[in-house]
Amino acid sequence: MTVNEMLEVVHNHHPSMGEMEILTVLNRSMDMFCEETEIIKDTYTFTTEASTVLYPLTPSDDTVETLRIMSVLFDGESIPRYVGNPIVGETTGLTTDDHYWFIEDNQMGLVKGNSTAIHADSGKTVTVHRVETSPHFDFTTTGYYKLAPNYPYRFHEAIVWRTVAHGYKTPPMLEPQAAAYFDSEYDKIVKKAKKYSRSRGYRGGVIVPYDM
């Protein structure tokens, strides 16, 4: 379902809603949908650097955001998450020469256990399995009317119904009953998408703070 098709559906319900407002709500709804369903799972890799502990959760050239880290491979081997913060001296339970990852200030930390926590070995490949958002619809992108969410077509209507519901919660189109109906339509698709997501492998992981 393209942006153009979504705009048409929303405008049928809310002719007075501006295109920018609709895009804003669609993008916010898409972020929420991806977080609730964990429908987009992917990996990214980077190489560790000397004397570096903290790394961005999302690569600087990425067009999506990391919502949840599912697992981390260090030099091809799975490493555990450390629940403390080695940066401030919380090192209890770190095994000598083993590597660990942790979350700190919306970044991912990598450390190597020792008498005190130290930075991970440099020059190693780190592979992060994550749940991520779908790229936002950006009106400045040429041909953005043809863009669509980066997950299966049968789930695209969810963010449209949530946007329609938003319109019915806002004057002058305030209709609570209609808003509740379209919210329920959104919830139905979320339920189906969660089932689809569970069938595609790893779950669990660590939620990353993300400003919707």
Side-chain angles (χ1 to χ4, degrees), residues 43-74:
T43 62
Y44 70 90
T45 62
F46 63 90
T47 302
T48 55
E49 301 176 2
S51 303
T52 301
V53 174
L54 295 176
Y55 298 85
L57 278 169
T58 300
S60 59
D61 59 347
D62 216 336
T63 59
V64 299
E65 294 289 339
T66 299
L67 292 173
R68 190 184 304 268
I69 293 178
M70 313 305 292
S71 64
V72 177
L73 300 181
F74 185 87

Short mmCIF file of all heavy atoms in Angstrom, two decimals, residues 43-74:
data_model
loop_
_atom_site.label_atom_id
_atom_site.label_comp_id
_atom_site.label_asym_id
_atom_site.label_seq_id
_atom_site.Cartn_x
_atom_site.Cartn_y
_atom_site.Cartn_z
N THR A 43 19.97 -7.33 10.72
CA THR A 43 21.27 -7.28 11.39
C THR A 43 22.09 -6.14 10.80
O THR A 43 21.85 -5.68 9.67
CB THR A 43 22.06 -8.59 11.20
OG1 THR A 43 22.32 -8.78 9.79
CG2 THR A 43 21.29 -9.78 11.73
N TYR A 44 23.03 -5.65 11.57
CA TYR A 44 24.05 -4.75 11.05
C TYR A 44 25.37 -5.11 11.70
O TYR A 44 25.40 -5.75 12.77
CB TYR A 44 23.69 -3.28 11.26
CG TYR A 44 23.73 -2.78 12.69
CD1 TYR A 44 24.91 -2.24 13.22
CD2 TYR A 44 22.61 -2.83 13.50
CE1 TYR A 44 24.94 -1.77 14.52
CE2 TYR A 44 22.64 -2.37 14.80
CZ TYR A 44 23.81 -1.84 15.31
OH TYR A 44 23.85 -1.38 16.60
N THR A 45 26.44 -4.74 11.07
CA THR A 45 27.78 -5.09 11.58
C THR A 45 28.64 -3.84 11.67
O THR A 45 28.42 -2.85 10.96
CB THR A 45 28.47 -6.12 10.68
OG1 THR A 45 28.66 -5.56 9.37
CG2 THR A 45 27.66 -7.40 10.56
N PHE A 46 29.61 -3.90 12.56
CA PHE A 46 30.63 -2.85 12.64
C PHE A 46 31.90 -3.48 13.19
O PHE A 46 31.90 -4.62 13.66
CB PHE A 46 30.16 -1.68 13.51
CG PHE A 46 29.89 -2.02 14.94
CD1 PHE A 46 30.89 -1.94 15.91
CD2 PHE A 46 28.63 -2.43 15.35
CE1 PHE A 46 30.65 -2.25 17.23
CE2 PHE A 46 28.37 -2.74 16.68
CZ PHE A 46 29.38 -2.64 17.62
N THR A 47 32.99 -2.76 13.12
CA THR A 47 34.28 -3.24 13.59
C THR A 47 34.70 -2.45 14.83
O THR A 47 34.61 -1.22 14.85
CB THR A 47 35.35 -3.09 12.49
OG1 THR A 47 34.93 -3.80 11.32
CG2 THR A 47 36.68 -3.64 12.97
N THR A 48 35.13 -3.17 15.86
CA THR A 48 35.54 -2.50 17.09
C THR A 48 36.81 -1.68 16.87
O THR A 48 37.65 -2.02 16.03
CB THR A 48 35.78 -3.52 18.22
OG1 THR A 48 36.73 -4.50 17.78
CG2 THR A 48 34.49 -4.21 18.59
N GLU A 49 36.91 -0.60 17.64
CA GLU A 49 38.05 0.30 17.53
C GLU A 49 38.84 0.31 18.83
O GLU A 49 38.30 0.03 19.91
CB GLU A 49 37.57 1.71 17.20
CG GLU A 49 36.79 1.79 15.89
CD GLU A 49 36.23 3.18 15.64
OE1 GLU A 49 36.50 4.08 16.47
OE2 GLU A 49 35.53 3.36 14.64
N ALA A 50 40.10 0.64 18.74
CA ALA A 50 40.98 0.66 19.90
C ALA A 50 40.47 1.66 20.95
O ALA A 50 40.05 2.77 20.61
CB ALA A 50 42.40 1.01 19.49
N SER A 51 40.50 1.24 22.21
CA SER A 51 40.15 2.09 23.35
C SER A 51 38.74 2.65 23.28
O SER A 51 38.46 3.72 23.83
CB SER A 51 41.16 3.25 23.48
OG SER A 51 42.48 2.76 23.60
N THR A 52 37.84 1.97 22.58
CA THR A 52 36.46 2.44 22.45
C THR A 52 35.53 1.46 23.14
O THR A 52 35.60 0.25 22.91
CB THR A 52 36.07 2.56 20.96
OG1 THR A 52 36.97 3.48 20.32
CG2 THR A 52 34.65 3.07 20.82
N VAL A 53 34.66 2.00 23.99
CA VAL A 53 33.70 1.16 24.71
C VAL A 53 32.29 1.32 24.15
O VAL A 53 31.58 0.34 23.95
CB VAL A 53 33.71 1.50 26.21
CG1 VAL A 53 32.61 0.74 26.94
CG2 VAL A 53 35.06 1.16 26.82
N LEU A 54 31.87 2.56 23.87
CA LEU A 54 30.50 2.82 23.44
C LEU A 54 30.41 3.02 21.94
O LEU A 54 31.23 3.70 21.32
CB LEU A 54 29.96 4.06 24.16
CG LEU A 54 29.80 3.94 25.69
CD1 LEU A 54 29.35 5.26 26.28
CD2 LEU A 54 28.83 2.83 26.04
N TYR A 55 29.36 2.41 21.35
CA TYR A 55 29.12 2.49 19.92
C TYR A 55 27.65 2.87 19.69
O TYR A 55 26.78 2.54 20.49
CB TYR A 55 29.41 1.15 19.25
CG TYR A 55 30.85 0.71 19.37
CD1 TYR A 55 31.30 0.02 20.50
CD2 TYR A 55 31.77 0.98 18.36
CE1 TYR A 55 32.62 -0.39 20.62
CE2 TYR A 55 33.10 0.57 18.47
CZ TYR A 55 33.52 -0.11 19.60
OH TYR A 55 34.83 -0.51 19.72
N PRO A 56 27.36 3.56 18.57
CA PRO A 56 25.97 3.93 18.29
C PRO A 56 25.08 2.69 18.14
O PRO A 56 25.49 1.69 17.55
CB PRO A 56 26.08 4.69 16.96
CG PRO A 56 27.50 5.11 16.85
CD PRO A 56 28.29 4.04 17.54
N LEU A 57 23.86 2.78 18.67
CA LEU A 57 22.91 1.69 18.49
C LEU A 57 22.45 1.59 17.04
O LEU A 57 22.06 0.53 16.57
CB LEU A 57 21.71 1.89 19.40
CG LEU A 57 21.88 1.44 20.85
CD1 LEU A 57 20.72 1.94 21.69
CD2 LEU A 57 21.98 -0.07 20.92
N THR A 58 22.45 2.71 16.37
CA THR A 58 22.03 2.75 14.98
C THR A 58 23.15 3.38 14.16
O THR A 58 23.61 4.48 14.49
CB THR A 58 20.75 3.58 14.80
OG1 THR A 58 19.70 2.98 15.58
CG2 THR A 58 20.32 3.63 13.35
N PRO A 59 23.65 2.70 13.12
CA PRO A 59 24.71 3.29 12.29
C PRO A 59 24.32 4.67 11.78
O PRO A 59 23.16 4.93 11.49
CB PRO A 59 24.83 2.28 11.14
CG PRO A 59 24.36 0.98 11.72
CD PRO A 59 23.25 1.36 12.68
N SER A 60 25.29 5.54 11.66
CA SER A 60 25.02 6.93 11.29
C SER A 60 24.40 7.06 9.91
O SER A 60 23.69 8.03 9.63
CB SER A 60 26.32 7.75 11.35
OG SER A 60 27.30 7.20 10.47
N ASP A 61 24.67 6.11 9.02
CA ASP A 61 24.13 6.19 7.67
C ASP A 61 22.83 5.42 7.51
O ASP A 61 22.34 5.22 6.40
CB ASP A 61 25.16 5.68 6.65
CG ASP A 61 25.57 4.23 6.90
OD1 ASP A 61 25.25 3.70 7.99
OD2 ASP A 61 26.21 3.63 6.01
N ASP A 62 22.26 4.97 8.62
CA ASP A 62 21.04 4.16 8.57
C ASP A 62 19.82 5.06 8.48
O ASP A 62 19.81 6.18 8.99
CB ASP A 62 20.94 3.29 9.83
CG ASP A 62 20.33 1.93 9.53
OD1 ASP A 62 19.60 1.84 8.53
OD2 ASP A 62 20.58 0.98 10.30
N THR A 63 18.75 4.56 7.85
CA THR A 63 17.51 5.31 7.72
C THR A 63 16.45 4.81 8.68
O THR A 63 15.30 5.26 8.62
CB THR A 63 16.97 5.23 6.28
OG1 THR A 63 16.74 3.84 5.95
CG2 THR A 63 17.95 5.83 5.29
N VAL A 64 16.81 3.88 9.55
CA VAL A 64 15.86 3.33 10.52
C VAL A 64 16.46 3.44 11.91
O VAL A 64 17.63 3.78 12.08
CB VAL A 64 15.52 1.85 10.21
CG1 VAL A 64 14.87 1.74 8.83
CG2 VAL A 64 16.77 0.98 10.27
N GLU A 65 15.64 3.13 12.92
CA GLU A 65 16.09 3.18 14.31
C GLU A 65 16.06 1.78 14.91
O GLU A 65 15.20 0.96 14.57
CB GLU A 65 15.19 4.10 15.14
CG GLU A 65 15.26 5.57 14.74
CD GLU A 65 16.58 6.22 15.13
OE1 GLU A 65 17.25 5.69 16.04
OE2 GLU A 65 16.92 7.26 14.54
N THR A 66 16.99 1.52 15.81
CA THR A 66 17.01 0.25 16.54
C THR A 66 16.01 0.33 17.69
O THR A 66 16.09 1.21 18.52
CB THR A 66 18.42 -0.03 17.11
OG1 THR A 66 19.35 -0.12 16.01
CG2 THR A 66 18.43 -1.33 17.90
N LEU A 67 15.06 -0.62 17.71
CA LEU A 67 14.06 -0.66 18.77
C LEU A 67 14.41 -1.65 19.86
O LEU A 67 14.09 -1.45 21.03
CB LEU A 67 12.69 -1.04 18.18
CG LEU A 67 12.03 -0.03 17.25
CD1 LEU A 67 10.79 -0.64 16.62
CD2 LEU A 67 11.68 1.24 17.99
N ARG A 68 15.05 -2.74 19.47
CA ARG A 68 15.33 -3.80 20.42
C ARG A 68 16.55 -4.60 19.95
O ARG A 68 16.63 -4.95 18.77
CB ARG A 68 14.12 -4.73 20.55
CG ARG A 68 14.19 -5.75 21.67
CD ARG A 68 12.97 -6.67 21.62
NE ARG A 68 11.71 -5.95 21.67
CZ ARG A 68 11.04 -5.68 22.77
NH1 ARG A 68 11.51 -6.07 23.94
NH2 ARG A 68 9.89 -5.03 22.73
N ILE A 69 17.48 -4.86 20.84
CA ILE A 69 18.61 -5.73 20.50
C ILE A 69 18.25 -7.15 20.93
O ILE A 69 17.89 -7.40 22.08
CB ILE A 69 19.89 -5.28 21.21
CG1 ILE A 69 20.34 -3.92 20.66
CG2 ILE A 69 21.01 -6.30 21.02
CD1 ILE A 69 21.58 -3.36 21.31
N MET A 70 18.35 -8.07 19.97
CA MET A 70 17.99 -9.46 20.24
C MET A 70 19.19 -10.29 20.64
O MET A 70 19.12 -11.11 21.55
CB MET A 70 17.33 -10.07 18.99
CG MET A 70 16.26 -9.19 18.36
SD MET A 70 14.94 -8.70 19.49
CE MET A 70 14.16 -10.27 19.78
N SER A 71 20.30 -10.10 19.96
CA SER A 71 21.52 -10.82 20.30
C SER A 71 22.71 -10.12 19.66
O SER A 71 22.55 -9.33 18.72
CB SER A 71 21.45 -12.29 19.83
OG SER A 71 21.36 -12.36 18.42
N VAL A 72 23.91 -10.41 20.17
CA VAL A 72 25.13 -9.79 19.67
C VAL A 72 26.18 -10.88 19.47
O VAL A 72 26.42 -11.71 20.36
CB VAL A 72 25.67 -8.73 20.65
CG1 VAL A 72 26.99 -8.15 20.13
CG2 VAL A 72 24.64 -7.62 20.86
N LEU A 73 26.79 -10.87 18.29
CA LEU A 73 27.90 -11.77 17.99
C LEU A 73 29.19 -10.97 17.98
O LEU A 73 29.27 -9.93 17.32
CB LEU A 73 27.71 -12.47 16.64
CG LEU A 73 26.47 -13.34 16.46
CD1 LEU A 73 26.46 -13.96 15.07
CD2 LEU A 73 26.40 -14.43 17.52
N PHE A 74 30.19 -11.45 18.69
CA PHE A 74 31.49 -10.80 18.72
C PHE A 74 32.50 -11.75 18.08
O PHE A 74 32.75 -12.84 18.59
CB PHE A 74 31.90 -10.49 20.17
CG PHE A 74 33.18 -9.70 20.28
CD1 PHE A 74 33.16 -8.32 20.22
CD2 PHE A 74 34.40 -10.35 20.43
CE1 PHE A 74 34.34 -7.58 20.32
CE2 PHE A 74 35.58 -9.63 20.52
CZ PHE A 74 35.55 -8.24 20.47
#
